[in-house]
């Protein structure tokens, strides 16, 4: 299959030799007749796909491929499946909702389960005082709306985000994202008013003091603090490498926001919903944000995102200023209510902590010389190879590829894709989890030998 990928890539390089040319055309036709070929024919280059197999069905932590493989899923659709693929309670809730109605556009005709979810989340989010919620579709849409709300509340324009952050692929969230390639490169000027400060990271040699100074430098050289609407940060950076925000830095950001009347937004799109051993990663800290964005595991595989925040801030936008045709889709809402029940009934917060601790211990026991850091909260764990000066991205790629050959799906992350992140369903069976760790151990050994 991988070979076929390559053949297609070569097909545009026709030689002058006729036989050579016809050979390429024949090979191209053969590839085009496969699903991989057909996919390549349909997709533009910018839509990169990570696997050379297709999903047929999936349950809990296993994906069955169309060619009969059973793959252990340690990616969970990039952190979307904390309750596993097709959890019976999620599918039952969605099926029941399907029988009632699939869409009304909430802003035209409201439905009660939306309100119920808002009430429940209002009590669960780590935000002080009266909380209001609004639901959208994607993580990026939640972040866009959080920024709009902060701007409407403060009547200011600027936003400070962090290096290594990932907030989405729409233009504003791209501007907030702190990684140029492949996200921003080639897409022209980004929306103005966004500034990046440093995010603390041991392996990037950025201390809490450096990071605080970098915010203050922005206030001196780029934008006055009274023009800044929001500071947005991920309590644990996702795409950036599962960098955990140190508590003292979180406190410092809160203090800066309080001092200058800036809205503090915690982007919990990836860190939320039990991944870190708490429902929201901000519960690990002794300060609270003003707004929280959520998506991914919120609806167990259905499309839903949300913003929760202090009522006075959430109320800043005028009627009709926030919304969207599909925002808060009833199927996603039904799934999200089921997800909250599952997390409680199956004690997934405890399980997240247990599995994360077990994984960290396993990684420490590997004693692999390539490992520079094992980090994370709960089950939001990553292992890094090399550091910012000398990233060992090659080793991460090899481990990932060898694991895949042995039916374990992994994902890299970090500034140089030199870390592997683990996003298995928290509902994964113990036996399957152990089997995955054995595959991982072998992948480390083989990667070292290759
Ligand atoms: N924010 C964070 C922290 C994320 O990890 C992501 C996606 O990975 C997003 C925002 C964007 O979410 P989406 O891809 O649903 O737009």
């Amino acid at each position: 299959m991988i070979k076929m990928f390559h053949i297609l890539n070569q097909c545009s390089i026709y030689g002058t030799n006729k036989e050579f040319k016809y050979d390429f055309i024949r090979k191209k036709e053969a590839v085009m007749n496969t699903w991989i070929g057909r996919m390549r024919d349909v997709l533009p280059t910018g839509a990169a796909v990570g696997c050379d197999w297709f999903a047929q069905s999936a349950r809990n932590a296993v994906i069955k491929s169309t060619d009969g493989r059973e793959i252990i899923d340690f990616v969970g659709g990039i952190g979307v499946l904390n309750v596993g693929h097709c959890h019976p309670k999620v599918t039952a809730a969605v099926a029941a909702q399907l029988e009632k109605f699939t869409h009304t556009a909430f802003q035209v005709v409201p439905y009660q389960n939306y309100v119920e979810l808002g009430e429940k989340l209002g009590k669960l989010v780590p935000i002080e005082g009266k909380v209001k919620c609004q639901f959208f579709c994607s993580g990026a849409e939640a972040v866009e709306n959080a920024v709009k709300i902060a701007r409407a509340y403060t009547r200011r324009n600027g936003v400070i985000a962090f290096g290594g952050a990932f907030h989405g692929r729409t233009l504003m969230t791209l501007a907030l994202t702190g990684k140029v390639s492949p996200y921003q490169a080639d897409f022209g000027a980004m929306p103005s008013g966004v500034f990046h400060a440093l995010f603390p990271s041991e392996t990037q040699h950025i201390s809490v003091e450096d990071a605080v100074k970098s915010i203050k430098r922005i206030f001196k050289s780029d934008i006055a603090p009274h023009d800044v609407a929001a500071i947005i940060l991920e309590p644990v950076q996702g795409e950036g490498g599962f960098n955990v925000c140190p508590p003292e830095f979180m406190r410092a950001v809160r203090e800066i926001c309080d001092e200058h009347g800036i809205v503090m937004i915690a982007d919990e799109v990836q860190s939320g919903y039990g991944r870190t051993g708490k429902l929201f990663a901000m519960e690990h800290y002794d300060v609270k944000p003003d707004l929280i964005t959520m998506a991914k595991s919120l609806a167990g595989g259905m499309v839903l995102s949300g913003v929760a925040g202090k009522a006075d801030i959430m109320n800043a936008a005028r009627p009709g200023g926030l919304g969207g045709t599909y925002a808060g889709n009833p199927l996603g809402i039904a799934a999200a209510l089921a997800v909250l029940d599952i997390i409680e009934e199956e004690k997934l917060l405890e399980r997240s902590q247990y599995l994360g601790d077990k994984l960290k211990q396993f990684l420490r026991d590997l004693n692999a010389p390539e490992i520079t850091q094992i980090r994370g909260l709960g089950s939001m764990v990553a292992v890094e190879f090399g550091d910012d000066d000398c990233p060992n991205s090659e080793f991460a790629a090899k481990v990932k590829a060898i694991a895949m050959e042995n039916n374990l799906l992994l994902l890299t992350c970090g500034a140089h894709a030199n870390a592997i992140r683990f996003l298995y369903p928290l509902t994964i069976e113990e036996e399957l989890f152990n089997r995955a760790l054995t595959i991982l151990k072998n992948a480390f050994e083989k990667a070292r030998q290759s």
Side-chain angles (χ1 to χ4, degrees):
M1 283 289 199
I2 293 170
K3 259 192 195 151
M4 289 185 177
F5 258 154
H6 293 243
I7 291 167
L8 257 189
N9 284 336
Q10 288 169 27
C11 280
S12 53
I13 324 161
Y14 294 123
T16 44
N17 177 306
K18 249 187 184 174
E19 257 322 294
F20 184 64
K21 183 172 168 179
Y22 290 134
D23 188 44
F24 257 137
I25 291 169
R26 275 194 298 276
K27 279 179 185 160
K28 182 174 177 176
E29 276 170 2
V31 175
M32 293 310 292
N33 284 331
T34 68
W35 279 100
I36 290 289
R38 288 166 65 181
M39 177 171 74
R40 293 288 298 241
D41 195 39
V42 165
L43 285 180
T45 315
V49 174
C51 293
D52 60 357
W53 50 271
F54 290 85
Q56 170 90 298
S57 61
R59 289 290 177 279
N60 202 11
V62 173
I63 304 176
K64 285 191 184 168
S65 68
T66 47
D67 54 0
R69 291 168 70 183
E70 291 201 357
I71 291 114
I72 306 176
D73 185 2
F74 262 39
V75 176
I78 321 183
V80 169
L81 296 157
N82 288 356
V83 301
H85 287 274
C86 299
H87 191 292
K89 287 201 170 143
V90 171
T91 51
V94 173
Q97 181 60 45
L98 266 173
E99 289 296 317
K100 294 178 194 159
F101 58 92
T102 58
H103 179 79
T104 63
F106 184 79
Q107 67 225 44
V108 180
V109 180
Y111 25 94
Q112 291 170 347
N113 58 358
Y114 183 119
V115 179
E116 207 183 331
L117 183 64
E119 285 170 349
K120 285 197 172 171
L121 275 172
K123 292 192 186 103
L124 292 168
V125 285
I127 290 175
E128 216 137 273
K130 166 82 182 144
V131 169
K132 292 206 168 191
C133 299
Q134 188 165 359
F135 299 105
F136 303 97
C137 300
S138 68
E141 205 186 345
V143 173
E144 290 271 354
N145 279 285
V147 170
K148 280 169 66 180
I149 292 164
R151 281 184 169 179
Y153 178 71
T154 57
R155 301 289 160 152
R156 303 173 181 178
N157 179 55
V159 186
I160 295 178
F162 292 90
F166 184 83
H167 296 292
R169 292 168 187 271
T170 56
L171 274 175
M172 184 63 185
T173 59
L174 259 191
L176 297 171
T177 288
K179 188 173 177 182
V180 171
S181 184
Y183 303 121
Q184 294 176 351
D186 311 325
F187 295 124
M190 293 290 129
S192 62
V194 175
F195 305 93
H196 286 98
L198 297 172
F199 194 83
S201 155
E202 242 177 73
T203 55
Q204 289 172 62
H205 319 294
I206 302 168
S207 67
V208 168
E209 206 191 347
D210 295 335
V212 173
K213 269 191 195 158
S214 73
I215 299 177
K216 299 203 167 152
R217 200 164 296 134
I218 288 173
F219 290 157
K220 278 208 173 118
S221 58
D222 297 307
I223 186 168
H226 62 255
D227 288 327
V228 176
I231 297 183
I232 182 167
L233 86 173
E234 296 158 87
V236 184
Q237 286 193 327
E239 169 67 22
F242 282 19
N243 302 312
V244 182
C245 179
E248 58 273 33
F249 186 64
M250 193 64 88
R251 241 174 272 133
V253 170
R254 181 69 269 179
E255 275 167 23
I256 290 169
C257 287
D258 288 343
E259 189 186 341
H260 299 290
I262 296 169
V263 174
M264 180 174 171
I265 305 172
D267 183 352
E268 292 247 25
V269 165
Q270 194 160 160
S271 60
Y273 267 73
R275 179 48 52 186
T276 68
K278 307 265 187 198
L279 193 60
F280 293 97
M282 283 306 298
E283 291 171 60
H284 291 279
Y285 298 90
D286 57 5
V287 293
K288 293 182 166 65
D290 300 310
L291 302 178
I292 289 181
T293 52
M294 60 193 92
K296 292 196 186 272
S297 279
L298 165 67
M302 298 300 290
V303 176
L304 191 72
S305 68
V307 181
K310 284 184 175 169
D312 57 333
I313 300 179
M314 292 292 286
N315 278 336
R318 67 186 65 206
L322 306 173
T325 304
Y326 297 105
N329 175 271
L331 299 172
I333 297 276
L337 285 166
V339 167
L340 281 179
D341 289 344
I342 295 163
I343 290 176
E344 198 182 333
E345 286 161 16
E346 301 186 18
K347 299 190 176 12
L348 292 187
L349 302 184
E350 290 89 329
R351 184 120 182 103
S352 171
Q353 193 61 51
Y354 165 76
L355 291 172
D357 288 346
K358 184 168 169 168
L359 174 59
K360 278 186 182 165
Q361 189 56 48
F362 161 85
L363 290 165
R364 280 193 287 270
D365 290 346
L366 286 179
N367 269 323
E370 297 83 3
I371 294 179
T372 35
Q373 199 180 42
I374 297 158
R375 57 176 176 258
L377 291 176
S379 273
M380 195 161 181
V381 173
V383 56
E384 182 164 349
F385 312 108
D387 64 2
D388 205 40
D389 298 331
C390 196
N392 196 348
S393 319
E394 198 190 328
F395 191 76
K398 274 187 194 167
V399 170
K400 183 182 160 198
I402 296 165
M404 189 66 265
E405 278 167 22
N406 292 283
N407 296 332
L408 173 63
L409 183 62
L410 297 175
L411 200 60
T412 54
C413 62
H416 312 275
N418 60 321
I420 290 179
R421 57 178 143 173
F422 301 95
L423 288 165
Y424 44 79
L426 305 173
T427 46
I428 187 170
E429 299 84 354
E430 191 88 14
E431 189 274 325
L432 200 63
F433 190 74
N434 293 339
R435 209 186 317 155
L437 296 191
T438 307
I439 297 172
L440 191 58
K441 185 172 186 203
N442 293 336
F444 265 76
E445 279 160 18
K446 278 196 187 153
R448 190 167 307 128
Q449 288 154 14
S450 66

